[in-house]
Amino acid sequence: MATKYLVYMVQVHTNFRKAELESLAELYGIKSIDFTKHDEQSPFFLVELEGDQQARDWIKRSILTRGIYEYWGEGATLEELHENVQSQPFFEHYKDTYKNDSFKFEFESYKGTSKANRVKQIESFAYLDFRGKIDLKSAKQTYTLIEEYKPLSDNVPGTVPIHLYFGRLVQRSDRLAVEKYDLKKRPYKGTTSFEAELSLVSANIAQVKPGTIMYDPFAGTGSFLCAGGHYGALVVGSDIDGRMIRGKGAAQNINSNFRHYKENNRFLDVLTMDFTHNSLRSNLVIDTILCDPPYGIREAIKVLGAKDPQRFVGKENVEIDGQKAYLRRDYIPTKKPYSLDSLLDDLLQYASERLPIGGRLAFWMPTANDENIETIIPLHSNLELKYNCVQEFNKWSRRLLVYINRGPDFHGKTNHGSSRSRSNFRDRYFKNFN
Ligand SMILES: C[S@@+](CC[C@H](N)C(=O)[O-])C[C@H]1O[C@@H](n2cnc3c(N)ncnc32)[C@H](O)[C@@H]1O
């Protein structure tokens, strides 16, 4: 028989929440969840699951959730909640099941209240008649009273809860990882580093799996490599800019970040490489691609080649000290500018060739917020566009695009960079979107 659970979520990045929860449910083979009941306006989501193990699997990696609780009841007031808890068909069964377990009570409320008041609230649950020991350090069961408040106006929080839920804690989420990977505490970072919270969410929506290979072709300071490593993937990155890869010495490079997190066994390596001249061997299985391609704002979009090839005609055989110049260790190849649209076309094509069927490609794409310019999402006939989650800023936004490789039989829509791009994002950014 299905059991009712309460998912308690955070009210940030709410348009990424369903994508994260759906992706994690699919990753663990959980099919029973009715996502039509998920509401972006509410931090609560009631679901039915087979049992605690499913609930634990589902939520243990979630970033945009606080935790999942076995649902015991709810009410507009504490009195109503008590009546509701005792009227539930499962009440006697639950009471019996956990009767002799050690336990404690917790409160989820943004508002502090006196200890005496909390003790009074706990005592009002005396009818549960638990016989186990109260254990604040390692209780077997934790019962939680969650209070929901409604703001009185934009900046004025409510003072009295408008609704209360009561449940048994089954699994806390992975929100502590947001602190752990906070950029402020990271040894090696730079202007292109991606914030911890959304890089972890991206790894969840990309379904990065333990023991599989994740590749970030535009690794920079390695933010997505860290997120992938956190979820147990073996990560490999590349960047055309060798300075990013080298970092600032052994104590401040991508590898030092992995050592800092004690996850260096997940770090395969990083290569100085132009993604469009890719040297990863073609039979290497890349399970997931997760990245933040260059937008041309803080970093140039460059590929190997010459802007003016005529200048180099006849110079291929230049030698220095009897050695071909381009074979020397200090040779710096020429680079030429490239467009974001062409780079995204290359990325989709690469994903369609290299990901296994069902494998995910996830990347961030910037867009201007003008009403008169339609945002055209890159499409490839082998890839299903699964999610398009937008993070709004003032005059621009960026979106996480997530694709699933369905193979050549998918016959999806295709478009190419030249037909998508009416205006260059970089130019519009520097003209302040006027
Ligand atoms: C938006 S940044 C990625 C930042 C990265 N997520 C981080 O955590 O620092 C894009 C990166 O792409 C690199 N890049 C630009 N063109 C490239 C190319 N053709 N091949 C590989 N990397 C490239 C840039 O050097 C830059 O480091």
Side-chain angles (χ1 to χ4, degrees), residues 71 177 189 223:
Y71 173 87
K189 55 186 172 271
S223 314

Side-chain angles (χ1 to χ4, degrees), residues 326-345:
Y326 64 83
L327 293 178
R328 288 170 61 94
R329 284 188 68 81
D330 59 358
Y331 176 75
I332 300 176
T334 53
K335 300 186 186 84
K336 62 179 182 187
Y338 202 53
S339 80
L340 175 62
D341 281 302
S342 307
L343 196 65
L344 297 185
D345 284 348

